[in-house]
């Protein structure tokens, strides 16, 4: 079946690292994505990882994938107040362009 | 390039009415998907259009229907509106066959059903 789960809330202090976790169930997922949504706005793609990778780094963002446990994480280094938003992970089976989104994690950054 | 655009931005309807939402894909994109995002939830896939036909459908009732035009723009129609249809409706587009499966999302249409 298709199900993507995330913890609902995360609060960190400015300058600390944030780690947002996600678990998925579809073993045929080929692409996994992280999106950011600010209040009243649409979805902004942050980064993605192919299922044959276990890590991807992009500036302050690090994605880790444990395919055996179907666990995905997003680490934000040096978290800033502008990073406060809701973060969604999403999975997709190659070629379908159909994304299954998680419930979203609300990140609050304290100054 | 304006990216993915949606209209209207906001809409208020009453139960039982019908609504039509519109989406223009990013230039060069030919595949359009629609998602429903209820308050406090992640987006849920409604359906996807390619070459003017519905290619995939999520777990939504027949009250939800769509259309794609020759210029790749798309409409989402919802009949017999229920209070539970209140949500942000997102449109996403991609060019089928892209090497990199990034879909671009529009800003959404916020539908309120009273």
């Amino acid at each position: 079946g298709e199900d993507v789960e995330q913890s609902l809330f995360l609060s960190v202090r400015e300058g600390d690292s944030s780690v947002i976790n996600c678990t998925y169930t579809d073993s045929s997922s080929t692409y996994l994505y992280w999106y950011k949504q600010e209040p009243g706005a649409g979805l902004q793609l942050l980064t993605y990882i192919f299922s044959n990778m276990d890590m991807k780094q992009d500036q302050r963002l690090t994605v880790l994938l444990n395919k055996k446990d179907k666990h995905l994480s997003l680490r934000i280094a040096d978290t800033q107040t502008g990073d406060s938003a809701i973060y969604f992970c999403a999975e997709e089976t190659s070629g379908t362009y159909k994304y299954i989104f998680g419930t979203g994690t609300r990140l609050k950054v304290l100054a | 390039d304006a990216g993915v655009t949606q209209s209207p931005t906001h809409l208020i309807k009453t139960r039982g009415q019908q609504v039509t939402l519109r989406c223009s894909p990013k230039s060069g994109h030919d595949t359009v998907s629609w998602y429903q995002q209820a308050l406090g939830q992640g987006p849920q896939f409604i359906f996807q259009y390619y070459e003017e036909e519905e290619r995939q459908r999520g777990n939504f009732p027949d009250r939800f229907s769509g259309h794609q035009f020759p210029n790749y723009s798309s409409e989402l129609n919802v009949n017999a509106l229920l209070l539970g249809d209140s949500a942000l409706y997102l449109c996403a587009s991609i060019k089928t066959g892209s090497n990199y499966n990034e879909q671009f999302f529009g800003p959404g249409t916020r539908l309120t059903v009273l």
Side-chain angles (χ1 to χ4, degrees):
Chain A
E2 303 167 333
D3 198 13
V4 181
E5 295 189 356
Q6 300 178 237
S7 52
L8 291 180
F9 298 102
L10 177 65
S11 179
V12 299
R13 296 207 170 274
E14 193 174 19
D16 288 349
S17 292
S18 307
V19 179
I20 303 171
N21 295 301
C22 169
T23 57
Y24 61 98
T25 56
D26 188 356
S27 57
S28 62
S29 294
T30 308
Y31 299 90
L32 296 138
Y33 303 87
W34 283 103
Y35 279 85
K36 176 183 180 182
Q37 187 175 43
E38 295 181 88
L43 294 168
Q44 174 195 352
L45 178 69
L46 290 176
T47 188
Y48 68 96
I49 190 167
F50 296 124
S51 60
N52 62 358
M53 299 168 64
D54 50 22
M55 187 183 90
K56 180 179 180 182
Q57 188 151 3
D58 185 359
Q59 298 184 333
R60 291 191 299 125
L61 306 178
T62 303
V63 179
L64 295 178
L65 174 61
N66 181 329
K67 198 173 180 182
K68 175 177 169 291
D69 294 336
K70 297 189 182 67
H71 183 264
L72 182 73
S73 68
L74 173 70
R75 178 177 179 270
I76 305 173
D78 187 25
T79 313
Q80 303 297 307
T81 54
D83 295 324
S84 292
I86 301 175
Y87 291 79
F88 293 97
C89 63
E91 63 175 351
E92 182 212 353
T93 302
S94 178
T96 66
Y97 310 132
K98 172 187 172 184
Y99 289 11
I100 306 299
F101 284 87
T103 48
T105 299
R106 183 179 294 275
L107 173 65
K108 184 174 181 179
V109 182
L110 305 171
Chain B
D1 182 5
V4 180
T5 60
Q6 293 185 243
S7 63
T9 306
H10 295 87
L11 203 52
I12 299 174
K13 292 285 189 178
T14 56
R15 278 182 300 175
Q17 285 189 311
Q18 179 264 343
V19 69
T20 297
L21 310 182
R22 295 176 177 83
C23 171
S24 291
K26 183 176 168 63
S27 178
H29 287 186
D30 55 11
T31 302
V32 174
S33 298
W34 286 91
Y35 291 80
Q36 180 195 65
Q37 185 179 17
L39 195 63
Q41 302 293 319
Q44 290 201 312
F45 177 82
I46 303 174
F47 45 52
Q48 182 182 99
Y49 278 83
Y50 172 67
E51 291 188 340
E52 301 179 49
E53 290 193 358
E54 184 182 289
R55 181 158 69 176
Q56 296 182 79
R57 189 177 182 93
N59 190 24
F60 279 80
D62 292 344
R63 297 187 298 109
F64 289 77
S65 63
H67 188 78
Q68 186 179 36
F69 299 93
N71 67 352
Y72 308 117
S73 67
S74 176
E75 288 182 349
L76 164 65
N77 301 293
V78 187
N79 294 323
L81 284 166
L82 303 173
L83 295 179
D85 295 331
S86 294
L88 180 68
Y89 288 84
L90 296 164
C91 168
S93 73
I94 193 168
K95 179 171 174 55
T96 289
S98 297
N99 290 330
Y100 163 33
N101 281 14
E102 177 186 358
Q103 290 194 73
F104 288 83
F105 283 82
T109 293
R110 185 161 297 282
L111 172 66
T112 302
V113 182
L114 302 176

